[in-house]
Amino acid sequence: MAERRRVVEHLGGLDLRWPRPVRHPVLPELPDHLPVLVQAYADPVDVPWVALHGGRVFGTAGRWVTRKHRRPVREVYRLGPDTKVALQLYVEDRVLEGFWVARRRIIAELAGMGFDLVLTPNFSVWRAASRWDQIVQQRRSIAVYHELVEAGVRAVPDIGFSFFEPDGRLWADWINSQPDLHAVSIFCGGRKIHAEVRAHRETVEDIALFHRAVRPDVTFILGGIHAAERLVDYRRAAPHRHLVICNGMAYGLAQRRRLLGRVHESVARSARECFLLNCAENDRAYASILRGLEVA
């Protein structure tokens, strides 16, 4: 009990309240698709948005901004002048634990890196974990979000819970009490293997419950969704809500010189060209799914 008391004191409580008033940041217009970019290409990349991978920005230990990222990120990744840059932190727990330890120093650096959007770290809330561990992870998420915002970072909170009742409901109540908060980040898994079919179904059900509980002007940024048929499930679970899909599909396939969509021509392409074509294809496909079902 003494150790748990020290944890509570360190976190400033275990609920979703924050001791100081915070003005949530004004966000740029968010797209349907946030493509993850892991490494730079030799030639410039000019797309509307990219999301840099937090495991690259902070390294495998997560305790510092890596040396190459101490230069302007647009220069490091050879991005076009109009490309907006997000930082996504759907990363391994090892990276997040290192980030947590060094977060005050890292957050101070993030404030000067010029990101247009930062997704608050996705601290894992495991269903098999103890109730104590689940509550601590949720408190860490809300604490980091407020620390980011207080440092001037244009961040959105990451929402993690094991069961909608009670924790999803608590998150929804908190969001609804923040009228100037207009986007949240939610990780939905996404590996396309048989063992996760049930997990996908349960996550879709959670999103449907969360959608009904949260006011309609809040955008859901969903991470870890790759298959189009799964995206259709989420669109149907949250009708008429603005959804943003963040994943590394365009980049991952490009590294193997593979293209999305039905391309039959035998043409040698660079990884960069494949990335650009895959981004364009996902932009088209996601808009078709997200907006097509809206009017269906």
Side-chain angles (χ1 to χ4, degrees):
M1 289 303 296
E3 181 61 30
R4 289 192 174 189
R5 191 175 297 112
R6 283 193 289 271
V7 172
V8 173
E9 292 172 355
H10 174 67
L11 294 175
L14 291 178
D15 55 24
L16 301 180
R17 291 178 293 179
W18 193 245
R20 298 175 295 277
V22 167
R23 187 179 184 86
H24 302 287
V26 177
L27 303 178
E29 183 177 355
L30 298 176
D32 297 324
H33 175 216
L34 271 178
V36 176
L37 179 61
V38 180
Q39 297 184 69
Y41 294 111
D43 294 317
V45 169
D46 194 356
V47 291
W49 277 87
V50 295
L52 303 187
H53 192 286
R56 291 283 179 165
V57 176
F58 301 139
T60 56
R63 290 181 176 242
W64 46 76
V65 174
T66 59
R67 178 174 296 180
K68 82 172 186 178
H69 291 96
R70 297 180 187 278
R71 295 160 45 209
V73 292
R74 294 177 184 279
E75 174 186 316
V76 171
Y77 287 85
R78 300 181 181 88
L79 300 175
D82 297 324
T83 298
K84 288 185 169 57
V85 188
L87 175 65
Q88 66 91 357
L89 289 162
Y90 305 128
V91 296
E92 294 81 3
D93 287 349
R94 177 185 178 186
V95 177
L96 297 185
E97 291 305 319
F99 174 91
W100 174 260
V101 171
R103 70 188 187 281
R104 290 185 173 84
R105 171 171 47 79
I106 293 175
I107 288 173
E109 292 187 59
L110 279 178
M113 293 178 69
F115 286 108
D116 296 289
L117 183 71
V118 173
L119 308 186
T120 295
N122 173 244
F123 291 103
S124 298
V125 183
W126 301 107
R127 294 196 175 192
S130 69
R131 181 68 179 141
W132 165 261
D133 288 338
Q134 292 172 355
I135 294 173
V136 166
Q137 292 293 72
Q138 291 172 176
R139 177 62 186 182
R140 292 209 290 178
S141 180
I142 199 72
V144 171
Y145 168 69
H146 283 93
E147 290 170 356
L148 285 165
V149 172
E150 288 180 336
V153 177
R154 194 179 289 173
V156 298
D158 183 82
I159 309 301
F161 55 87
S162 292
F163 300 98
F164 179 74
E165 298 288 359
D167 293 329
R169 180 79 64 184
L170 292 173
W171 275 113
D173 290 344
W174 175 77
I175 293 167
N176 292 336
S177 72
Q178 310 293 313
D180 56 342
L181 177 67
H182 294 292
V184 298
S185 166
I186 309 171
F187 185 65
C188 298
R191 292 181 181 177
K192 295 181 289 183
I193 57 177
H194 179 72
E196 290 202 352
V197 171
R198 178 178 175 181
H200 167 67
R201 184 174 65 249
E202 291 173 345
T203 304
V204 170
E205 291 170 354
D206 284 341
I207 292 295
L209 292 169
F210 199 61
H211 162 70
R212 289 196 287 269
V214 172
R215 66 179 199 274
D217 63 317
V218 177
T219 296
F220 289 0
I221 302 172
L222 304 180
I225 302 170
H226 298 86
E229 59 270 21
R230 292 193 170 188
L231 177 53
V232 170
D233 292 339
Y234 286 103
R235 172 75 287 169
R236 289 174 174 159
H240 308 296
R241 184 178 297 277
H242 184 201
L243 301 180
V244 176
I245 308 305
C246 178
N247 64 40
M249 178 185 288
Y251 177 85
L253 291 178
Q255 294 307 99
R256 290 174 280 163
R257 307 301 197 274
R258 291 179 57 189
L259 294 176
L260 291 162
R262 298 181 178 180
V263 178
H264 302 292
E265 57 190 44
S266 299
V267 178
R269 303 180 190 275
S270 67
R272 170 187 169 276
E273 186 178 4
C274 290
F275 175 72
L276 294 176
L277 290 171
N278 286 344
C279 285
E281 174 60 22
N282 269 347
D283 288 345
R284 183 204 62 76
Y286 293 173
S288 175
I289 292 170
L290 295 175
R291 304 182 190 282
L293 290 179
E294 287 289 271
V295 298

